Amino acid sequence: MGKKKDKLAAQQQQQLQQQVPWKSIDKDPLGFLVSPEDPGSFFERNWEQKPAVFKATAERVALFQGLCSLPAVVNWLKQRQKKAGPLAFGVDFNTARYRNGVRETPNGEVADAGGFKALHDDEGCTLQLFQPQRFFDPCWRLLAALERQLGCLVGSNAYLTPAGSQGLAPHYDDVELWVVQTHGSKVWKLYQSTNGYQLPNQPSPDFDQDALGEPMLEVELCVGDVLYMPRGTVHQAAAQTADSSHLTISTYQRCSYADLATHLLQVRQRELLLSAAAGAMHAAAAWWHGLLASLPAPAHVACCVALVTCSLTDWCGLRSRLVWLTWCATCTS
């Protein structure tokens, strides 16, 4: 009975895929994710600012329903293991359980289709499949289109959670994140950033429930619904009365002006170390001396003061000055 059910689910997903409007998705994948919102309005109101929920459209349901769900992954894994073998823990997927305020990761070494399903059904584990675009063409095509549109790397993970359970502890991520429900439903709770710190470039450790306070948003996602979260948004999610699966689509990891400035200085430092190794010690020492010297008055005083005192409300001014100063430093000989 289970084999027939899995086969039927795979056939239904193939039928839905034939209804996916790939031409319009290839042209405007972000518009597809945030529809019926206009992408321009999304960037103005929400991008790097606040979460947003976009209820399901017929087009998103056609693409996402059943995609990377437990039946779909188990059916795919049965075919894969004949040629490529089982999945490897820590490379292809992880397991996770969150019980009584404690996160568990009961990983082993490898898992075939039967072991994969048993971890979910019998052990109550959430299965985190890394980068499913490696295995499922619809994921690959959507992410490729997003990379072209955003000009940045885009990744994804799939999360398969048993009914009535939670896999991960409350935490925040260092990426801009879209969550897309593909099977069942999940209730998400979002909280204000900790200590007012926003747009981090490192993920957080797990948080205790007592430290979170009341959620600023609580929403149940059903198939085709999309939740956007800026990096730094503390969140947790639990499956409801049925098994749940969702995709996370992530981008802009360490792609900020601060990361660019750090990278430029690191590149210049490596160049100088190579020069020093080649005997150009004087040039290397002169560059470092120039970088560590005080900004000269009066030409750069105003810029220096503005950089130090610039408030977060003038972030555009802050980041432009930061990049300008870094560029000046890297060009100094």
Side-chain angles (χ1 to χ4, degrees), residues 104-117:
E104 302 172 342
T105 307
N107 280 357
E109 293 184 1
V110 296
D112 59 13
F116 189 85
K117 194 172 188 299

Side-chain angles (χ1 to χ4, degrees), residues 294-302 304:
S294 300
L295 291 170
H300 294 159
V301 169
C304 180

Side-chain angles (χ1 to χ4, degrees), residues 254 256-270 326 330:
R254 299 181 187 176
S256 67
Y257 284 90
D259 293 305
L260 172 62
T262 301
H263 175 71
L264 289 173
L265 290 173
Q266 290 174 340
V267 169
R268 184 57 174 158
Q269 180 185 16
R270 286 195 295 269
T326 307
T330 57

Side-chain angles (χ1 to χ4, degrees), residues 1 12 43 102 105 182 267 276-277 306 324:
M1 186 66 180
Q12 291 175 341
F43 274 111
V102 178
T105 307
T182 66
V267 169
W324 182 82

Side-chain angles (χ1 to χ4, degrees), residues 83-195:
K83 297 180 179 179
L87 296 179
F89 286 88
V91 177
D92 298 312
F93 80 110
N94 268 341
T95 59
R97 284 191 303 241
Y98 183 66
R99 295 175 174 175
N100 302 317
V102 178
R103 156 79 185 271
E104 302 172 342
T105 307
N107 280 357
E109 293 184 1
V110 296
D112 59 13
F116 189 85
K117 194 172 188 299
L119 286 165
H120 180 280
D121 294 347
D122 302 333
E123 300 296 328
C125 292
T126 288
L127 307 175
Q128 179 188 14
L129 184 64
F130 299 145
Q131 305 297 337
Q133 70 271 23
R134 296 178 295 161
F135 314 121
F136 297 92
D137 285 348
C139 294
W140 162 80
R141 186 165 178 177
L142 176 61
L143 266 59
L146 282 167
E147 288 184 344
R148 288 194 299 269
Q149 187 175 35
L150 297 174
C152 185
L153 290 175
V154 179
S156 71
N157 286 319
Y159 295 84
L160 290 61
T161 302
S165 69
Q166 180 171 334
L168 302 179
H171 67 283
Y172 65 69
D173 297 301
D174 59 341
V175 287
E176 302 300 308
L177 199 63
W178 291 273
V179 176
V180 186
Q181 192 71 21
T182 66
H183 179 78
S185 65
K186 216 167 197 180
V187 169
W188 289 77
K189 295 180 180 180
L190 277 57
Y191 305 85
Q192 296 287 352
S193 59
T194 57
N195 301 322

Side-chain angles (χ1 to χ4, degrees), residues 79-85:
Q79 302 303 316
R80 166 199 157 94
Q81 64 193 27
K82 296 176 183 178
K83 297 180 179 179

Side-chain angles (χ1 to χ4, degrees), residues 8-126:
L8 179 60
Q11 291 174 345
Q12 291 175 341
Q13 185 180 350
Q14 289 177 355
Q15 292 173 356
L16 283 170
Q17 288 295 314
Q18 296 175 359
Q19 305 172 25
V20 177
W22 278 114
K23 287 186 178 180
S24 61
I25 294 174
D26 289 339
K27 183 178 180 180
D28 184 16
L30 182 59
F32 170 75
L33 283 179
V34 304
S35 175
E37 184 78 50
D38 175 77
S41 300
F42 165 75
F43 274 111
E44 182 179 350
R45 299 173 185 173
N46 299 103
W47 179 255
E48 295 187 333
Q49 299 172 64
K50 61 181 181 180
V53 177
F54 307 98
K55 301 306 290 183
T57 63
E59 292 78 10
R60 281 204 297 269
V61 171
L63 173 57
F64 292 119
Q65 184 166 295
L67 184 62
C68 295
S69 63
L70 182 65
V73 173
V74 169
N75 186 63
W76 160 78
L77 185 50
K78 289 177 181 177
Q79 302 303 316
R80 166 199 157 94
Q81 64 193 27
K82 296 176 183 178
K83 297 180 179 179
L87 296 179
F89 286 88
V91 177
D92 298 312
F93 80 110
N94 268 341
T95 59
R97 284 191 303 241
Y98 183 66
R99 295 175 174 175
N100 302 317
V102 178
R103 156 79 185 271
E104 302 172 342
T105 307
N107 280 357
E109 293 184 1
V110 296
D112 59 13
F116 189 85
K117 194 172 188 299
L119 286 165
H120 180 280
D121 294 347
D122 302 333
E123 300 296 328
C125 292
T126 288

